[in-house]
Amino acid sequence: MSTDEIFRSQRVVTEAGVRPAAVYVKDGRIARVTAWADVPEGAALVDLGDVALMPGVVDTHVHINEPGRTEWEGFESATRAAAAGGITTVVDMPLNSIPPATSARGVAVKSSLTEGRVFVDVGLWGGAVPENTSGDAKGLGKVLAEGALGFKCFLVPSGVEEFPYVQRDDVRAALAQLRDAGCGLMVHAELPGPIDRAAAELRGEVPPPDPRAYRTYVRSRPREAEDRAIELLLELCREFRVPIHVVHLSSSGALGALAKARDEGLPLTAETAPHYLHFTAEQVPDGATWFKCAPPIREKENQERLWAALDDGLITMVVSDHSPCTPDLKRMDTGDFDAAWGGIAGLQFSLPAVWTEASARGYGLDRLAQWMCAAPARHAGLQAKKGGIAAGLDADLVAFDSEASFTVDPAKVHHRNKVTPYAGETLRGVVRGTWLRGERVYDGEGFAEGARGRWVRR
Ligand SMILES: [Zn+2]
């Protein structure tokens, strides 16, 4: 069997653990994984020594915002940042672009924009909104047929008017449509009731609470909003048995409902995001609106429960929820949390942010790869191509110097807008190189010529 290139490292991250190995690549795919010494004389060899070779990260929660809000991010800048962060597949969320991916046309417009312009592979989620779910609307099938990988909906206002939120009956209608679709429904799980009650309480206080205080913002998005939403999803999952996935879980109060689902064998799963695992409410300075996201970054005690849930498998994966905007929308001049756009820009730093915290808690690269590569690939239905180092999968690889550290320099942020809570943070784990289907796209300093990424569809 001929081979194009062989990668080897003393620490190759596979499902079976971290071990010395050689990885043969042929035509963009992994042909086989063999013993470290099994390299013929004269072979084209990328020898990483002690630097780990891990699968490319699969990030199924990215807001690219193109077209329509391309000044917030865009396919080119997002996929460069991804490559620099060791991410080889991103899946774009259906909202914040105009049009949103709530129709076949919305998906088609986005997929056409990926052609020749993306530096890593890109998948697209569809959106479930009242228009394509409620009553007799049967709009989800057309979105799937256009190549969307699954659906996302909101139970509270999404922040943009062209992507309205759904209520219980719409969710039931969506789940009925997805019964035999082979994909599930992702849900932004916060309910309006507890948020409205918190807002009324804050409005009634004398003296009025400081809008620049992070504590005020956390009080405005109580854990109860998430906890009640996830109880509702548990009930609907029992009724329909269609996979439901909670995006960006922040409240540890909902872990009981997830445990119940697991005990009953129901397909209710959850992800969390790097910012919930790395930052704590106690650390967020007043006026630092670049930390604003919904649901919010909560207290240290809550964070440790999220880590325990990851360890236990109740939370199955970690994806970025990269949701950038322009600096003016962050209201950095006033520091008013209430007025600022909610969303954290962190795509490029997901892998080192999670590794910093995971390694400090004694977890190895094999766990990291489960949470950030294998589980998200499975979630998007891409497990036959992505998310691991094994024969038959795409040769999406990262040279990850897991013992090295770096300090985040805004000048080296590849997101379109450089505002990020990671600025100035010292993180563990440096990406020394990223390969997409066997081709190097990032070498630790800069990018290869040409956009080699592709649109990945069902
Ligand atoms: Zn999001």
Side-chain angles (χ1 to χ4, degrees):
M1 181 170 64
S2 68
T3 300
D4 299 331
E5 201 158 40
I6 301 169
F7 292 76
R8 79 172 173 189
S9 159
Q10 293 294 340
R11 296 189 303 139
V12 175
V13 183
T14 70
E15 289 259 292
V18 181
R19 59 192 166 102
V23 178
Y24 282 54
V25 173
K26 173 75 183 157
D27 296 332
R29 286 201 189 158
I30 296 168
R32 59 196 174 106
V33 182
T34 71
W36 182 89
D38 182 14
V39 174
E41 193 91 13
L45 178 67
V46 179
D47 195 337
L48 299 179
D50 288 328
V51 170
L53 181 68
M54 63 178 280
V57 170
V58 176
D59 187 343
T60 56
H61 196 144
V62 182
H63 295 269
I64 293 178
N65 307 323
E66 180 173 0
R69 290 191 178 88
T70 309
E71 69 278 15
W72 292 12
E73 190 59 271
F75 284 104
E76 298 192 55
S77 53
T79 55
R80 276 182 193 269
I87 300 163
T88 48
T89 305
V90 295
V91 187
D92 180 38
M93 277 295 167
L95 71 157
N96 299 348
S97 59
I98 305 171
T102 52
S103 65
R105 184 182 149 259
V107 175
V109 166
K110 285 199 195 197
S111 65
S112 70
L113 287 167
T114 65
E115 275 169 41
R117 297 179 62 229
V118 291
F119 294 83
V120 300
D121 284 354
V122 176
L124 301 172
W125 293 120
V129 292
E131 196 189 328
N132 61 19
T133 55
S134 65
D136 293 331
K138 293 269 187 286
L140 302 186
K142 291 174 198 144
V143 178
L144 271 187
E146 194 62 41
L149 297 171
F151 292 92
K152 152 95 174 278
C153 68
F154 276 70
L155 296 176
V156 283
S158 72
V160 294
E161 63 177 20
E162 68 280 357
F163 199 100
Y165 70 101
V166 291
Q167 303 191 48
R168 183 196 182 91
D169 284 347
D170 305 315
V171 178
R172 295 185 76 253
L175 293 171
Q177 284 190 57
L178 294 177
R179 242 181 193 134
D180 302 307
C183 69
L185 184 64
M186 290 177 285
V187 184
H188 177 123
E190 287 182 292
L191 284 181
I195 293 173
D196 294 346
R197 281 195 290 283
E201 200 181 298
L202 289 166
R203 265 197 311 273
E205 275 178 19
V206 184
D210 180 1
R212 296 184 77 258
Y214 185 67
R215 208 183 105 70
T216 308
Y217 177 61
V218 175
R219 288 181 60 205
S220 77
R221 308 289 297 212
R223 296 183 196 197
E224 195 198 349
E226 286 187 76
D227 302 348
R228 293 295 90 77
I230 292 164
E231 279 162 21
L232 168 66
L233 296 175
L234 172 63
E235 195 186 300
L236 295 173
C237 195
R238 254 187 216 127
E239 184 183 348
F240 287 88
R241 311 240 158 198
V242 168
I244 299 178
H245 179 80
V246 175
V247 294
H248 50 51
L249 178 73
S250 167
S251 169
S252 61
L255 294 170
L258 292 170
K260 232 181 251 176
R262 183 168 68 182
D263 291 346
E264 294 177 35
L266 298 173
L268 177 64
T269 55
E271 69 189 35
T272 190
H275 37 271
Y276 302 128
L277 298 171
H278 180 66
F279 298 115
T280 61
E282 291 88 340
Q283 299 170 308
V284 178
D286 288 352
T289 53
W290 45 95
F291 286 91
K292 177 179 175 180
C293 59
I297 294 165
R298 302 188 192 277
E299 296 75 5
K300 178 75 184 158
E301 149 273 318
N302 183 79
Q303 181 181 71
E304 289 309 321
R305 289 174 202 270
L306 296 180
W307 272 106
L310 262 175
D311 183 47
D312 172 69
L314 261 188
I315 298 174
T316 53
M317 53 189 247
V318 186
V319 287
S320 72
D321 192 14
H322 176 67
S323 185
C325 65
T326 50
D328 57 309
L329 294 175
K330 275 295 185 191
R331 306 295 170 97
M332 293 163 71
D333 48 343
T334 60
D336 182 337
F337 275 98
D338 197 35
W341 170 259
I344 281 184
L347 180 65
Q348 191 179 330
F349 307 108
S350 292
L351 176 62
V354 177
W355 175 239
T356 300
E357 301 298 330
S359 58
R361 288 168 176 78
Y363 300 110
L365 290 171
D366 48 344
R367 297 302 300 277
L368 185 73
Q370 284 168 13
W371 296 326
M372 302 193 75
C373 310
R378 213 176 308 123
H379 170 61
L382 299 174
Q383 68 274 16
K385 288 183 191 156
K386 306 293 188 185
I389 295 182
L393 298 180
D394 286 355
D396 295 349
L397 302 168
V398 179
F400 191 54
D401 196 346
S402 59
E403 308 309 304
S405 299
F406 70 106
T407 299
V408 176
D409 173 1
K412 292 184 179 160
V413 174
H414 298 286
H415 312 148
R416 181 180 303 269
N417 295 291
K418 314 303 177 194
V419 177
T420 169
Y422 291 101
E425 287 289 296
T426 296
L427 300 176
R428 192 160 187 226
V430 175
V431 174
R432 302 286 186 204
T434 305
W435 290 261
L436 181 69
R437 280 179 264 101
E439 304 260 16
R440 182 141 75 179
V441 292
Y442 177 74
D443 68 4
E445 297 289 333
F447 301 93
E449 283 287 316
R452 293 197 172 85
R454 293 180 193 154
W455 175 35
V456 288
R457 52 183 298 168
R458 276 159 65 99

